[in-house]
């Protein structure tokens, strides 16, 4: 999670929401990393999870990421939860819950939907306080002080 938090902090340079992700192989080595790049790349799919999954798949030379763990600072949205399922990631670890858009228990629970052909193990709340603090700091600086 510390590596994902470092990715999140790096996204601040591009005015992107500070969310970071890393993909670990079965040995615990980082094989993909990403940070939000929606603003930097003008890409609506430029979420940290998607960036990290793409890098890991490219490095492996295949789209199936069985045996891998995705670690992300914020609960994935529906798009990212779907990508996690489709990539066959074995484990998802995330920090803060996202009450507004979370798709791993908050609003929806895409990754544990029994109708799907793959369901990763989920570990939530890892360093949630640090992840939340980074987001609160970012959004606090971007709010209009006039309300």
């Amino acid at each position: 999670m510390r590596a994902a938090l470092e990715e999140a902090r790096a996204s601040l340079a591009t005015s992107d929401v500070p969310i970071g992700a890393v993909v670990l192989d079965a040995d615990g080595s980082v094989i993909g990393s990403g940070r939000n790049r929606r603003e930097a790349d003008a890409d609506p799919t430029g979420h940290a999870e998607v960036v990290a999954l793409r890098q890991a798949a490219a490095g492996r030379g295949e789209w199936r990421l069985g045996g891998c763990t995705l670690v992300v600072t914020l609960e994935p949205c529906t798009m990212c939860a779907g990508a996690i399922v489709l990539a066959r990631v074995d484990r998802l670890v995330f920090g803060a819950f996202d009450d507004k858009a979370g798709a791993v228990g908050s609003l929806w629970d895409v990754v544990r939907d029994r109708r799907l052909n793959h369901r990763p193990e989920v570990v939530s709340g890892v360093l949630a306080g640090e992840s939340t603090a980074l987001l609160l700091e970012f959004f606090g600086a971007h709010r209009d002080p006039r309300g």
Side-chain angles (χ1 to χ4, degrees):
M1 185 60 77
R2 296 263 178 231
L5 282 163
E6 285 306 312
E7 286 292 330
R9 287 183 189 95
S11 69
L12 293 169
T14 61
S15 298
D16 275 288
V17 176
I19 301 169
V22 293
V23 178
L24 309 172
D25 66 12
D27 297 326
S29 298
V30 175
I31 61 168
S33 61
R35 62 187 71 124
N36 267 7
R37 299 204 43 89
R38 291 190 316 166
E39 299 296 331
D41 296 345
D43 178 1
T45 68
H47 291 207
E49 301 95 323
V50 172
V51 174
L53 290 169
R54 285 179 180 155
Q55 189 178 91
R60 268 194 163 183
E62 65 175 320
W63 61 267
R64 289 177 190 88
L65 296 176
C68 292
T69 299
L70 174 69
V71 180
V72 62
T73 58
L74 183 67
E75 178 184 1
C77 68
T78 53
M79 176 183 70
C80 294
I84 291 162
V85 170
L86 293 172
R88 309 297 195 271
V89 171
D90 281 359
R91 185 174 305 100
L92 166 64
V93 176
F94 71 87
F97 281 91
D98 184 351
D99 295 336
K100 293 182 180 178
V104 186
S106 289
L107 290 181
W108 299 281
D109 203 349
V110 172
V111 300
R112 288 179 274 222
D113 190 319
R114 295 199 178 278
R115 296 170 292 182
L116 298 175
N117 64 341
H118 179 76
R119 289 178 298 281
E121 173 189 353
V122 176
V123 178
S124 59
V126 177
L127 296 180
E130 288 184 48
S131 297
T132 300
L134 192 56
L135 290 163
L136 289 173
E137 181 181 331
F138 174 82
F139 286 114
H142 287 80
R143 286 197 182 102
D144 185 341
R146 296 170 289 165

